[in-house]
Amino acid sequence: MNIMTFIKKIPTQHYPILLVYLALFIYAFLRSYYLSFTHDESLSFSIFNDVATISTTTANNHILNTFFMWISSFFLGNSEWALRLPNVLAFGVYLSACYLLLIKDKSNWLLIIGSSLLLLNPFLIEFFALARGYGISLGCMMVSLYFLLNNCFHYTSFHEFIKAYKRTLLFAFFAVLANLSMINYFIAVILIYFIQYLVLYKAKYNQFKINKSVLLFTLIPLIIGLGMLIFLSFKNQLFIGEKTLHATLNSMIESFIYFSDYPTWIFKSLKYSILVLFPIGLISVLFKKDFFGAFFLIILIIIIIIIGLIIENLLFHANFPAGRTSLLFFPLFGLFFYYFILHLITFYAPFKKIILICSILISSLLIYHFSNNINLKTTKTWHYDSQTKDVILTIESYAKKNKNPSAISCLWIFEPTINYYISSRKLNIAKVSREGIDLSTDFIYTLEDNSNLAGYKPIKKYTEIGSCLFVKK
């Protein structure tokens, strides 16, 4: 089926929902256009633009993202939106995969509920508007999940099974190249298809065997992924994260809450909802013997990933995910809750109305939460960089008056982004160092409001992040 044929077959009642999808895509693009560049994005820019600045053998080098940034830079230049465009387009891929997964159940209410669970997460969408590998990896993972969950255990032929496996694994590997934290998802996919193969082999495909090409298709990406992980472990680059899984869960909920100032009980309710409902879902699957559907596969993926994280912690002393490194769990838990609702409707039919009412209530709360956090000014992870673009524009207006390059010193956290703007805009400003405040420079940018800096006067204060720009008197 080609794209035009598929579009013609879209039910008219889906149009309002697809308009919401389009609005979310436009929102991601607008954020990519208006947001100040951030610390880690600027390091990625340095990797392909000035290799002497930073080693490419760091965890910061999200390979697929760096490659696409280079291509976008070559054709469109080094503006913020141009460098972020690959991740914005990845959001289009993510949206498409979500829609294709959710329309399988042919229910408008379930489409709305599923879309709210998978899309109305301000922290998740944040990374589709940044030049990092997280958005690309999430888009690839969602396509991979579509091929995995499209048939589950219901394949018409062994050839169809192998074709789905190759597609699933290919996009899972792309996700790893975009962000190495996806390695556990990649391994989970291999193990799940191995389980499927054993079940199908015993049931009806016992005359078929896995050939060498399939083994190579599995082992080569696996060796590359594990090699990258081991290499970064030797380089001591796996330091971001938490020391326990409990801390990871807390970090995820804090990230999801975003900039909302909710009471403490909201945080605890979200936390214990996950801790209680996940084992309940697993028990219900075992009790009802619902082993051949998407719900069981999602549970398996989450369990395998958690086991993988524990093994990595023991073998490589890698920290558990936190914040942005735990992003893969957001769509996985979104799908868990979505398929949990389907499971409850199927096996507990007398309570169908109550289940739907509760689901609609959850969707309403998610809509409220997302709308309450819409902004084009800042990010959760790099909030301190929200005004760096304005700082450099202010300095630029001063620098135009000088024949000699102006000099600026700043805290080390601002150094990559300020240098990005100096380089990308070709400004008459000397590049800054990571050595901190220097009282001989023309400008000083710091998080501390040092109004008594000898020989300097404040020209801009940013109260929302507590920073201040000074100029020499």
Side-chain angles (χ1 to χ4, degrees):
M1 182 187 298
N2 59 43
I3 295 176
M4 292 306 299
T5 305
F6 174 78
I7 292 174
K8 289 178 182 178
K9 289 188 175 183
I10 293 175
T12 54
Q13 60 266 33
H14 287 186
Y15 289 172
I17 300 170
L18 291 177
L19 283 175
V20 174
Y21 277 45
L22 178 61
L24 289 172
F25 182 81
I26 293 171
Y27 172 63
F29 176 78
L30 290 175
R31 280 179 63 84
S32 76
Y33 185 86
Y34 286 108
L35 286 178
S36 170
F37 227 52
T38 63
H39 184 281
D40 284 23
E41 289 180 290
S42 302
L43 292 178
S44 295
F45 176 76
S46 298
I47 288 174
F48 73 82
N49 190 63
D50 186 6
V51 291
T53 303
I54 182 171
S55 172
T56 58
T57 57
T58 70
N60 192 80
N61 183 20
H62 297 171
I63 297 172
L64 212 55
N65 175 65
T66 305
F67 174 68
F68 285 134
M69 281 180 73
W70 176 79
I71 292 177
S72 190
S73 170
F74 182 81
F75 288 103
L76 301 173
N78 291 326
S79 64
E80 298 95 323
W81 74 267
L83 296 175
R84 291 165 169 168
L85 184 61
N87 279 272
V88 176
L89 296 177
F91 188 40
V93 174
Y94 181 88
L95 288 167
S96 301
C98 288
Y99 178 72
L100 290 173
L101 268 175
L102 297 174
I103 60 172
K104 282 175 60 64
D105 299 296
K106 298 179 181 178
S107 166
N108 294 333
W109 283 113
L110 288 174
L111 177 58
I112 293 170
I113 293 165
S115 297
S116 63
L117 287 167
L118 291 171
L119 301 176
L120 299 184
N121 182 337
F123 185 69
L124 181 83
I125 290 184
E126 174 172 300
F127 290 89
F128 287 109
L130 298 175
R132 301 291 290 137
Y134 303 105
I136 297 172
S137 67
L138 288 169
C140 292
M141 186 183 80
M142 190 54 69
V143 175
S144 174
L145 283 168
Y146 167 73
F147 289 121
L148 173 64
L149 302 174
N150 192 37
N151 292 303
C152 295
F153 286 85
H154 311 294
Y155 293 95
T156 56
S157 67
F158 187 73
H159 173 73
E160 185 186 27
F161 170 74
I162 293 298
K163 185 168 71 172
Y165 171 66
K166 287 182 176 180
R167 290 175 175 177
T168 304
L169 203 66
L170 179 63
F171 280 95
F173 182 54
F174 287 156
V176 173
L177 291 179
N179 181 12
L180 190 56
S181 63
M182 287 287 182
I183 186 68
N184 292 299
Y185 169 73
F186 181 82
I187 294 170
V189 164
I190 295 174
L191 292 176
I192 284 173
Y193 269 100
F194 180 69
I195 293 169
Q196 286 181 314
Y197 173 72
L198 292 178
V199 172
L200 295 173
Y201 183 86
K202 184 178 180 181
K204 54 182 177 179
Y205 298 138
N206 51 15
Q207 71 272 30
F208 295 106
K209 293 183 179 180
I210 300 295
N211 56 39
K212 291 181 180 179
S213 66
V214 175
L215 289 174
L216 289 174
F217 195 83
T218 303
L219 291 176
I220 292 175
L222 181 62
I223 291 170
I224 292 172
L226 291 176
M228 292 164 60
L229 183 68
I230 294 169
F231 178 76
L232 290 178
S233 175
F234 282 139
K235 292 286 184 178
N236 196 29
Q237 289 289 316
L238 304 178
F239 53 85
I240 295 177
E242 303 286 356
K243 298 299 180 184
T244 64
L245 280 171
H246 182 261
T248 291
L249 181 58
N250 287 339
S251 174
M252 287 174 58
I253 296 170
E254 182 184 348
S255 299
F256 173 77
I257 289 175
Y258 212 57
F259 290 112
S260 295
D261 187 19
Y262 296 135
T264 307
W265 67 267
I266 296 288
F267 183 95
K268 291 181 179 179
S269 298
L270 290 170
K271 177 180 176 180
Y272 290 112
S273 294
I274 295 173
L275 291 175
V276 171
L277 291 177
F278 187 76
I280 288 176
L282 177 58
I283 292 169
S284 183
V285 162
L286 297 175
F287 180 71
K288 295 295 184 179
K289 298 181 180 180
D290 184 19
F291 300 129
F292 301 105
F295 187 42
F296 180 59
L297 291 182
I298 286 295
I299 291 174
L300 267 183
I301 289 174
I302 294 173
I303 290 174
I304 293 170
I305 289 175
I306 291 173
I307 292 172
L309 292 172
I310 294 171
I311 293 173
E312 285 174 18
N313 178 260
L314 295 173
L315 293 181
F316 306 119
H317 305 290
N319 287 331
F320 292 99
R324 61 189 184 275
T325 56
S326 64
L327 274 169
L328 81 163
F329 282 112
F330 287 108
L332 289 176
F333 274 110
L335 286 171
F336 167 81
F337 286 114
Y338 173 72
Y339 287 120
F340 195 5
I341 292 167
L342 291 178
H343 172 83
L344 293 174
I345 291 172
T346 303
F347 291 96
Y348 304 91
F351 303 100
K352 182 177 179 178
K353 287 185 178 179
I354 297 174
I355 294 165
L356 283 176
I357 291 171
C358 292
S359 303
I360 293 169
L361 176 62
I362 292 170
S363 293
S364 301
L365 293 173
L366 288 170
I367 292 169
Y368 168 78
H369 172 66
F370 183 79
S371 61
N372 199 38
N373 282 281
I374 290 175
N375 80 86
L376 301 176
K377 295 181 179 180
T378 189
T379 67
K380 174 76 172 177
T381 308
W382 297 280
H383 184 53
Y384 57 83
D385 258 327
S386 59
Q387 298 297 339
T388 309
K389 181 178 182 178
D390 186 73
V391 167
I392 207 70
L393 290 175
T394 303
I395 296 173
E396 183 181 9
S397 66
Y398 278 79
K400 285 179 179 178
K401 304 171 187 177
N402 303 326
K403 291 182 179 179
N404 297 323
S406 298
I408 176 175
S409 61
C410 60
L411 298 181
W412 69 270
I413 57 173
F414 298 120
E415 176 266 331
T417 306
I418 288 177
N419 280 335
Y420 156 73
Y421 279 112
I422 292 172
S423 176
S424 63
R425 290 172 176 264
K426 297 179 173 58
L427 302 179
N428 186 32
I429 303 172
K431 286 196 172 182
V432 302
S433 69
R434 298 175 75 92
E435 296 176 3
I437 304 302
D438 181 354
L439 296 178
S440 67
T441 56
D442 302 303
F443 299 90
I444 292 176
Y445 183 50
T446 176
L447 282 173
E448 298 138 8
D449 186 6
N450 297 319
S451 301
N452 295 321
L453 277 173
Y456 289 85
K457 64 176 181 179
I459 53 175
K460 273 206 173 182
K461 293 183 180 180
Y462 304 99
T463 54
E464 63 271 28
I465 57 175
S467 63
C468 190
L469 175 63
F470 298 89
V471 65
K472 197 172 241 183
K473 291 180 181 178

